[in-house]
Amino acid sequence: MKTFNIGELSEKSGVASHAIRFYERENLMPEPARTQSNYRRYPEDAIARLQFIIHAKQWGFTLDEIRELLMLQDANGDRAEAKRIAKKQLEKIRHQIQSLSRIEAVLSETLEECSGEGPMDGCPIVEAIAQRG
């Protein structure tokens, strides 16, 4: 089986070397084999694992949730647990969408109200941010 050093893995996966080492410390990546010179050697499947981590982060999963999903995958665990984690994430995303929709509406309204001229005192944009946070 082909193995890679950390630089090669970084290049093939698009994940920086320092991030790979961080994921190892966070137990998202298994401890790699070491050469006699103590250099890390990663198997080919490490590329797919890193890509999974990156995609899960893009979807908004926390490192703890990603770790849990990876542990389920490694142990061929219960799909119900994966579904529970994903359902919780979907609820968070829906809440974020609602929050962003409210912010979008207020910002749109204040942009209409603001003339874009004159002193800042009484600016509807600044007042809306101060009042609604």
Side-chain angles (χ1 to χ4, degrees):
M1 174 172 31
K2 183 166 174 59
T3 62
F4 306 102
N5 66 34
I6 196 163
E8 294 167 330
L9 180 63
S10 174
E11 184 178 315
K12 290 188 178 299
S13 67
V15 177
S17 297
H18 69 274
I20 295 170
R21 286 192 283 281
F22 172 76
Y23 294 145
E24 286 176 28
R25 287 191 304 273
E26 291 295 315
N27 296 317
L28 297 172
M29 294 290 292
E31 184 71 29
R34 300 265 183 171
T35 65
Q36 288 183 342
S37 304
N38 207 29
Y39 290 105
R40 294 172 169 91
R41 296 301 299 180
Y42 297 90
E44 281 187 273
D45 63 359
I47 297 167
R49 190 173 184 102
L50 283 168
Q51 290 171 342
F52 178 90
I53 293 166
I54 297 306
H55 294 153
K57 284 179 58 182
Q58 289 170 343
W59 286 22
F61 288 98
T62 66
L63 292 182
D64 287 338
E65 291 164 337
I66 296 169
R67 185 179 305 104
E68 204 171 340
L69 287 169
L70 288 168
M71 287 173 26
L72 287 168
Q73 185 178 356
D74 291 345
N76 197 21
D78 187 4
R79 284 186 188 183
E81 280 300 303
K83 186 173 182 174
R84 178 192 60 78
I85 295 166
K87 187 175 181 180
K88 181 177 152 190
Q89 181 59 18
L90 181 58
E91 290 169 5
K92 286 192 298 188
I93 289 170
R94 286 180 174 156
H95 177 75
Q96 288 172 330
I97 290 170
Q98 288 173 345
S99 179
L100 287 171
S101 292
R102 285 190 296 272
I103 292 168
E104 187 269 341
V106 170
L107 187 54
S108 179
E109 180 183 318
T110 58
L111 281 169
E112 289 292 322
E113 293 173 6
C114 183
S115 67
E117 298 175 358
M120 283 297 293
D121 189 39
C123 175
I125 297 168
V126 174
E127 288 180 359
I129 293 169
Q131 290 172 3
R132 297 180 181 112

